[in-house]
Amino acid sequence: MPGSNLVSDGPGETLPSFRLDRLSGTLLGTALGDALGLACEGLSARAIARRFGQVERFHILGRTGFVSDDTELSALVAQSLISFPDDPVGFERAFGRALAGWFLRLPWGIGLATLRASIRRLLGIRPSGVFSAGNGAAMRAAIVGTFFREEPRKRREFSLVLAQVTHRDPRAVEGALFVAEMAAACAKAGAEADRFSLWEQSMEVLQEPSLTRAARRAKELAEAGMSTEEAAAALGTTGFVVHTVPFATYCFLRYGEHPHRAIKEAIQAGGDTDTIGAIVGAWVGALHGDASLRDDLIRRIHDGPFGPTHLRALARALHDLQEGREPQRPSFSVLSALARNVCLYPVILAHGLRQLIPI
């Protein structure tokens, strides 16, 4: 996918820099939505407002943000794309191996379907994907869309095999395809693009009736200017993909002109806040780019494995591939990732217990 430094995609912006900005924006937007939403996961909108007010900073451990499975698995998808950008079978195997290794590092926040699929992968059971309509496949699909933004056949082929590593329910698979399509449409557009037109393009991949109806309802609510509270009540905000993807769609269509507000509205509504925030973050990052995201918050995300430095390095490697250059494959310390997870387990458990206290 060659580029030229002489081609401009906007005022003062060359096409290669535009591509890199959108790749980086997708991964960092995922991380920002994930880290901001993590402390609110499972809480109602009322409980979030009572405990945190407006979600303007991180709340897990002081003012430091930590990413969870949404970002980590998106990073492993990017890593697998770097290794096998033209081979969906090799890509699927690479991501499957990465998933098994990730599971052995004792991640917290792992969904039940992904947990079961990881165990099946470790045991060599094929297919490893389970029949679940959770949102685990959708949450990690955006980077595939941004990377293959100009190649619809590859985008859909890679998104399909990626989803089926953990999820085989048609709703979960199509939810992942839609997330990738929206990311691709955003990454091709300028920040001033009509978001409803991007939605229309992306709807081509949806066939499953319940998901299609919910996605269309999300568009109607956004067009009508319905409040976030009303949309959350109508669409749902749980980890069920038929709730997650349409509500993320509403937030993007309604508020996507302002990246931080779109992410914040997704989180303030409660429910599966980290995943919905991550998907919205990926879309606004793909549309507006890395520079549009709040740098004061990005800099406060813990910069270990899967932190901002690692994510930007992955984006650069993906960009090198698009420019026909040999990429430098970013690595991370497995021991550091394991140590981080183990050290934070007491904090995460304490936070979960606190959520049970009705104050």
Side-chain angles (χ1 to χ4, degrees):
M1 289 177 278
S4 168
N5 285 325
L6 300 178
V7 180
S8 176
D9 208 278
E13 187 168 35
T14 61
L15 185 57
S17 68
F18 182 91
R19 287 172 172 163
L20 177 57
D21 193 41
R22 270 49 184 177
L23 287 164
S24 182
T26 302
L27 290 173
L28 288 171
T30 298
L32 183 57
D34 178 17
L36 276 174
L38 187 59
C40 303
E41 185 179 12
L43 295 176
S44 67
R46 183 175 298 180
I48 292 169
R50 186 171 63 246
R51 293 185 181 184
F52 306 128
Q54 295 295 304
V55 181
E56 295 287 354
R57 68 174 184 86
F58 306 114
H59 290 277
I60 285 289
L61 186 61
R63 292 181 177 269
T64 301
F66 293 93
V67 299
S68 67
D69 54 339
D70 308 85
T71 305
E72 294 186 357
L73 291 179
S74 296
L76 294 178
V77 171
Q79 176 181 291
S80 302
L81 282 171
I82 293 164
S83 298
F84 295 96
D86 299 305
D87 178 6
V89 175
F91 166 74
E92 189 271 347
R93 289 175 180 164
F95 180 74
R97 289 192 299 270
L99 178 72
W102 174 79
F103 174 72
L104 291 175
R105 294 193 293 275
L106 306 177
W108 28 268
I110 184 171
L112 182 59
T114 302
L115 171 66
R116 292 163 57 200
S118 299
I119 293 172
R120 288 170 65 88
R121 200 81 186 192
L122 279 169
L123 295 176
I125 299 173
R126 300 290 187 276
S128 56
V130 300
F131 282 97
S132 165
N135 57 20
M139 71 185 187
R140 61 179 187 253
I143 190 59
V144 175
T146 302
F147 181 67
F148 289 121
R149 68 179 206 164
E150 302 289 353
E151 300 178 272
R153 182 187 62 79
K154 278 189 175 182
R155 183 167 68 242
R156 293 169 190 179
E157 189 174 16
F158 277 67
S159 296
L160 178 64
V161 299
L162 173 63
Q164 291 178 335
V165 172
T166 54
H167 293 70
R168 287 189 291 149
D169 186 296
R171 294 167 293 183
V173 172
E174 287 193 17
L177 290 172
F178 180 79
V179 169
E181 287 297 304
M182 281 285 282
C186 289
K188 287 188 290 185
E192 301 303 318
D194 177 8
R195 296 186 301 282
F196 290 92
S197 295
L198 304 182
W199 173 88
E200 194 69 52
Q201 297 168 35
S202 305
M203 285 294 289
E204 295 177 3
V205 299
L206 292 188
Q207 297 180 1
E208 200 285 323
S210 63
L211 187 57
T212 301
R213 283 194 301 271
R216 293 197 177 280
R217 180 62 173 150
K219 182 239 189 183
E220 292 168 0
L221 294 173
E223 279 184 322
M226 290 293 181
S227 70
T228 303
E229 182 181 10
E230 292 171 312
L235 298 169
T237 60
T238 73
F240 178 37
V241 74
V242 179
H243 293 166
T244 298
V245 170
F247 186 65
T249 299
Y250 160 82
C251 292
F252 174 76
L253 294 177
R254 178 84 167 85
Y255 303 110
E257 181 181 355
H258 305 288
H260 182 68
R261 183 175 181 188
I263 294 169
K264 188 174 75 169
E265 292 285 341
I267 292 167
Q268 295 282 164
D272 197 1
T273 51
D274 57 336
T275 294
I276 299 173
I279 292 172
V280 174
W283 288 342
V284 295
L287 181 63
H288 295 277
D290 179 347
S292 72
L293 302 172
R294 280 185 51 178
D295 187 58
D296 61 317
L297 291 174
I298 296 290
R299 285 187 284 105
R300 286 190 173 276
I301 296 175
H302 181 253
D303 205 22
F306 311 111
T309 298
H310 183 198
L311 297 177
R312 286 192 170 107
L314 287 168
R316 283 194 296 273
L318 291 171
H319 180 249
D320 284 343
L321 282 171
Q322 292 179 325
E323 293 299 296
R325 297 189 292 267
E326 182 66 25
Q328 291 188 352
R329 290 171 171 79
S331 60
F332 62 92
S333 168
V334 171
L335 290 178
S336 293
L338 175 61
R340 187 208 71 151
N341 290 343
V342 171
C343 290
L344 280 175
Y345 256 108
V347 177
I348 299 300
L349 290 174
H351 187 77
L353 290 172
R354 182 176 179 273
Q355 290 182 342
L356 300 177
I357 302 172
I359 59 172

